[in-house]
Amino acid sequence: SITDAYYHMSNYLEEGDGSVSGDPVVDSWKQADPANENDLEKYQKIWRASKDASVLHKFDPSGAWSKVNSSLNGHQIRVRRLRNLMYAASGMAASLFIILGLAFYTQLFSVSESAISMGTTNGSRSEVVLPDGSVVKLNAGSSLQYHFDKIHKVRKVNFSGEGFFEVSKNTQPFVVETADGLQVKVLGTKFNLNTYPEDQIVHTTLVEGKVELSMNGAGKLVLAPGQMASFDKGSKTLKYGEGDVTHQIGWMQNKLYMDNMSLSEVCTKLERWYDVNISLSDKKLGEKIHYTGVLKEESVTDVLSALSQLSSITYQLRGNNILISEK
């Protein structure tokens, strides 16, 4: 456990300069990754410096925590992790608390590295290159937060909206998590993820490689290229989906593929794409009219004009507000 590892580390540093370890736990950790030996040298320097500090002779846990907490202001992830470690390791030597505090202050035990956040508003799209080289194309109204979990060696992304992921090949897993708890695990692949908060269904479409989808209580699914999966937020069911992959990623070419798509769903997409507010004079109209075909238009008025020719609807445009009525 983390507590046992820190216990061995504290004994190792307390017993001498570390020229000969003799501790199998520390030796195994050093050999696991070349970078660990460099980190150990940093820990030794901090330990030697901390032993010269008078605070070691009069250790005040509450005061030490206050100092560490104030130094880490704005880094909630690291603060929470440090607090949890303090509670779990309440029986450790006072010196260990000092080195933990100093280590977190210098980011030696940082839970995350290369953190990045990105978002798009309605009416805009963007492309972001993550620190690991992966590329994510963001559709309108989408956001992501990326960080590298140094402890578990995992690249993690918290995602909302719709995006096309081109994940760089790496031995370290790449995990995308949605607000509803759905996880998409990959190593190197290309896939589309549609998980807007207001939508009932989450859609995952695999273009290249392999992904594993999992959800507590809903089991797991593995997708091969050309396959799709859907997750129902309400019933918590995860299953294989049907459809055309090209249609699912058509938004990147500004194409709207409609496979018996209801007017309500069309309006939702148009609101995101063009940053407008669309209202229906009769809510029943949204499910009464369906469309099949593909649209590629430059403006929302062009799209609405095309839809009015395909069905018995008319629209009124007032700034960013649109009212759709039946003819």
Side-chain angles (χ1 to χ4, degrees), residues 4 24 40 55 84 160 304:
D4 291 338
L40 184 58
V55 70
N84 291 340
S160 175
L304 292 172

Side-chain angles (χ1 to χ4, degrees), residues 287-304:
E287 298 303 321
K288 178 180 178 181
I289 299 176
H290 289 71
Y291 302 94
T292 296
V294 58
L295 291 173
K296 185 178 181 180
E297 309 296 343
E298 294 298 326
S299 67
V300 66
T301 55
D302 291 337
V303 173
L304 292 172

Side-chain angles (χ1 to χ4, degrees), residues 189-191 204-211 223-227 245:
T189 187
K190 296 180 181 180
F191 66 97
T204 306
T205 305
L206 183 62
V207 176
E208 179 182 301
K210 184 172 70 174
V211 300
L223 297 184
Q227 288 187 317
V245 171

Side-chain angles (χ1 to χ4, degrees), residues 6-20:
Y6 288 157
Y7 177 77
H8 283 272
M9 182 69 74
S10 66
N11 287 341
Y12 168 77
L13 295 171
E14 181 68 32
E15 290 173 0
D17 60 5
S19 57
V20 178

Side-chain angles (χ1 to χ4, degrees), residues 151-214:
I151 293 179
H152 301 97
K153 307 295 185 183
V154 177
R155 298 171 287 168
K156 289 188 176 181
V157 171
N158 294 318
F159 185 74
S160 175
E162 182 170 23
F164 184 80
F165 292 75
E166 298 181 37
V167 180
S168 62
K169 293 184 178 180
N170 194 315
T171 57
Q172 297 157 340
F174 188 100
V175 179
V176 181
E177 296 183 350
T178 71
D180 298 282
L182 181 68
Q183 285 192 340
V184 183
K185 298 181 181 179
V186 303
L187 288 177
T189 187
K190 296 180 181 180
F191 66 97
N192 193 78
L193 180 61
N194 187 326
T195 176
Y196 286 101
E198 60 271 24
D199 289 351
Q200 180 70 20
I201 307 295
V202 176
H203 297 282
T204 306
T205 305
L206 183 62
V207 176
E208 179 182 301
K210 184 172 70 174
V211 300
E212 178 188 273
L213 288 82
S214 62

Side-chain angles (χ1 to χ4, degrees), residues 216-236:
N216 290 337
K220 297 181 179 180
L221 287 182
V222 176
L223 297 184
Q227 288 187 317
M228 290 174 279
S230 63
F231 170 68
D232 190 307
K233 298 177 183 179
S235 62
K236 302 295 183 182

Side-chain angles (χ1 to χ4, degrees), residues 14-196:
E14 181 68 32
E15 290 173 0
D17 60 5
S19 57
V20 178
S21 170
D23 190 314
V25 175
V26 178
D27 288 340
S28 176
W29 176 77
K30 285 173 59 178
Q31 298 170 4
D33 189 334
N36 290 344
E37 189 167 355
N38 293 330
D39 286 343
L40 184 58
E41 293 180 3
K42 297 176 184 177
Y43 303 158
Q44 290 171 333
K45 291 179 181 178
I46 294 174
W47 188 268
R48 287 194 291 269
S50 66
K51 292 184 72 173
D52 294 332
S54 60
V55 70
L56 285 175
H57 303 291
K58 295 182 179 180
F59 180 69
D60 177 8
S62 298
W65 165 243
S66 297
K67 292 180 180 179
V68 172
N69 187 37
S70 62
S71 298
L72 294 172
N73 185 30
H75 298 272
Q76 292 87 350
I77 294 177
R78 297 191 183 98
V79 170
R80 285 198 296 268
R81 176 68 67 174
L82 181 57
R83 182 186 290 119
N84 291 340
L85 287 175
M86 283 189 166
Y87 289 153
S90 58
M92 290 184 182
S95 301
L96 182 56
F97 286 110
I98 294 298
I99 191 172
L100 279 175
L102 290 172
F104 271 85
Y105 180 74
T106 57
Q107 298 185 356
L108 295 180
F109 288 153
S110 174
V111 175
S112 63
E113 286 187 344
S114 304
I116 186 172
S117 297
M118 182 68 184
T120 57
T121 59
N122 284 344
S124 66
R125 293 173 183 164
S126 184
E127 179 177 298
V128 57
V129 179
L130 301 179
D132 69 331
S134 298
V135 178
V136 185
K137 295 179 175 64
L138 297 176
N139 202 350
S142 303
S143 64
L144 67 79
Q145 295 81 40
Y146 168 94
H147 77 274
F148 175 65
D149 187 332
K150 189 175 181 180
I151 293 179
H152 301 97
K153 307 295 185 183
V154 177
R155 298 171 287 168
K156 289 188 176 181
V157 171
N158 294 318
F159 185 74
S160 175
E162 182 170 23
F164 184 80
F165 292 75
E166 298 181 37
V167 180
S168 62
K169 293 184 178 180
N170 194 315
T171 57
Q172 297 157 340
F174 188 100
V175 179
V176 181
E177 296 183 350
T178 71
D180 298 282
L182 181 68
Q183 285 192 340
V184 183
K185 298 181 181 179
V186 303
L187 288 177
T189 187
K190 296 180 181 180
F191 66 97
N192 193 78
L193 180 61
N194 187 326
T195 176
Y196 286 101

